[in-house]
Amino acid sequence: MPIRRSAPRSVAAAVARRATLARSVSLIRQFGYEQSDPARFYGALADDTARMVDDLWRGATDTTLNGRTVLDVGGGPGYFADAFAAAGATYVSVEPDAGEMHAAGLDARGSVRGSGTALPFRTNSVDLCLSSNVAEHVARPWDLAEEMLRVTRPGGIAVLSYTLWWGPFGGHETGPWHVLGGEYAARRYARVHGREPKNRFGTSLFPIRASHGLRWARTTSNGELLAAFPRYHPRWAWWSVRVPLFREAAVSNLVLVLRAR
């Protein structure tokens, strides 16, 4: 099915209408359940993500996700599958960790084990490629980003969303001490909790910045940047992305939307 193209401004406008203060507050409340009730947290995040991606797709192509193939890079145990199926999309996820794929006991038949930096998919084989909160766990995140564009059909879109290091959630469970140094925060966590953090600085957690992603998105020859906005902020706070240095602490999670060439 051919993919239509619309103007970049349509992409930002399509998702901005849902970017309300009420949505932001609701998501912040759900973050408190990430450790104690992951099904509740990731279920709410999955529904919000599917709505966001559907809006972005509509803005970029003037069509719905119905019948389209969505590849989720770093899909974990598959919490997003039902949300995208409800939108009519064919959902496939890639996850390098077999234990993570089965962690929630969900049906993993739509999952493929593989690396995000060497995706086991043909070039130009999916309509939309998504990566949600994965890039900060990859030592070479822009290799992952280029792979996302490689497997996306020309005219399709890649949606890369990642947590900024200097933001409040940059250290994940080791925060807010990560602002004093990732290694210090990891050692402090182990001392206080008696175990190593799941996200270990320098191994599975890296200091990624907004400036890094914006530089890549504006210079890659394989895609056109359509939109860049804070994932969890209300629309009236999106201006923060345009302010160097300030955005590193204020944006928290940056979404980059690119049309594949």
Side-chain angles (χ1 to χ4, degrees):
M1 185 187 304
I3 298 175
R4 299 179 184 177
R5 305 188 183 202
S6 62
R9 74 174 65 182
S10 300
V11 176
V15 75
R17 62 191 178 87
R18 293 189 194 272
T20 63
L21 180 59
R23 167 186 172 268
S24 298
V25 171
S26 176
L27 287 171
I28 289 171
R29 287 174 176 168
Q30 294 299 329
F31 287 144
Y33 295 97
E34 181 178 10
Q35 299 296 321
S36 62
D37 191 353
R40 173 174 176 172
F41 166 71
Y42 285 107
L45 184 62
D47 289 341
D48 184 80
T49 301
R51 285 192 293 268
M52 178 185 75
V53 170
D54 185 56
D55 286 341
L56 291 171
W57 178 261
R58 288 170 186 264
T61 68
D62 293 323
T63 62
T64 71
L65 279 177
N66 187 50
R68 297 296 184 174
T69 301
V70 174
L71 175 62
D72 184 3
V73 181
Y79 285 114
F80 286 15
D82 288 346
F84 279 99
T90 298
Y91 174 88
V92 182
S93 68
V94 172
E95 172 59 47
D97 187 338
E100 189 71 17
M101 289 172 66
H102 298 282
L106 302 177
D107 188 344
R109 283 177 294 179
S111 298
V112 175
R113 188 176 181 187
S115 169
T117 57
L119 290 170
F121 290 86
R122 296 192 307 272
T123 298
N124 304 338
S125 60
V126 304
D127 297 302
L128 187 150
C129 193
L130 164 71
S131 179
S132 174
N133 298 313
V134 173
E136 67 266 29
H137 301 292
V138 180
R140 299 175 64 180
W142 313 120
D143 288 355
L144 178 148
E146 289 291 350
E147 274 290 275
M148 291 174 64
L149 289 174
R150 178 186 67 79
V151 301
T152 303
R153 295 186 180 100
I157 63 172
V159 182
L160 177 64
S161 170
Y162 64 94
T163 303
L164 303 184
W165 176 252
W166 292 111
F169 304 108
H172 290 241
E173 70 271 33
T174 67
W177 304 99
H178 68 288
V179 299
L180 300 179
E183 181 60 30
Y184 167 79
R187 285 189 280 106
R188 183 188 181 280
Y189 182 95
R191 185 173 66 254
V192 172
H193 296 277
R195 64 180 185 277
E196 284 288 313
K198 175 183 178 181
N199 299 287
R200 188 61 166 81
F201 179 75
T203 301
S204 60
L205 186 62
F206 300 90
I208 192 170
R209 297 176 57 177
S211 59
H212 299 158
L214 290 167
R215 184 183 308 117
W216 166 77
R218 289 165 177 160
T219 58
T220 179
S221 61
N222 297 314
E224 172 194 5
L225 179 63
L226 300 180
F229 58 91
R231 180 170 181 175
Y232 304 120
H233 289 26
R235 176 66 182 89
W236 47 260
W238 282 14
W239 59 268
S240 56
V241 171
R242 300 193 297 270
V243 185
L245 297 181
F246 176 75
R247 65 191 172 205
E248 302 298 343
V251 168
S252 182
N253 189 288
L254 179 66
V255 179
L256 300 172
V257 185
L258 291 92
R259 189 184 339 256
R261 290 176 172 145

